[in-house]
Amino acid sequence: MPKQSNITLYSCDRPSCVNKEYVLPNATASPNWHEVTRVDRNGNQRKILFCESDYQQYLQLAENQDKDYDLWLNKSLNAEGK
């Protein structure tokens, strides 16, 4: 096989994940890669690249966090005994 230059490597940002994909110039990566912008509690943004399986797990985690936040936000102060 000849030497190929300028190949792009997609690699999941989750440290335990081994999923990778090499993409040739002028080619498109598979749709199994998802770039997410995560905002932490300090307002810092971080772009993260997930493979499909880790992205699905991330979506579930984000949904659970959204539900917890909505419950907290809408909880009556009277219900907390204040």
Side-chain angles (χ1 to χ4, degrees):
M1 179 169 120
K3 179 180 175 184
Q4 181 70 44
S5 299
N6 301 319
I7 292 176
T8 301
L9 171 62
Y10 283 73
S11 179
C12 187
D13 280 330
R14 192 165 182 202
S16 61
C17 184
V18 297
N19 288 329
K20 297 180 184 326
E21 180 180 355
Y22 291 94
V23 180
L24 297 172
N26 302 319
T28 304
S30 70
N32 296 331
W33 296 100
H34 304 274
E35 188 173 66
V36 173
T37 301
R38 168 96 166 86
V39 180
D40 68 17
R41 66 182 181 165
N42 297 316
N44 299 316
Q45 292 186 7
R46 179 178 169 201
K47 290 196 181 282
I48 305 166
L49 184 67
F50 288 125
C51 65
E52 182 65 26
S53 62
D54 286 332
Y55 179 67
Q56 293 304 318
Q57 291 178 37
Y58 169 79
L59 289 178
Q60 186 62 56
L61 175 67
E63 180 181 342
N64 292 340
Q65 289 175 338
D66 289 346
K67 287 177 184 176
D68 287 345
Y69 172 78
D70 289 342
L71 282 172
W72 171 82
L73 183 65
N74 295 308
K75 186 181 272 188
S76 169
L77 290 177
N78 293 333
E80 294 178 358
K82 293 184 179 180

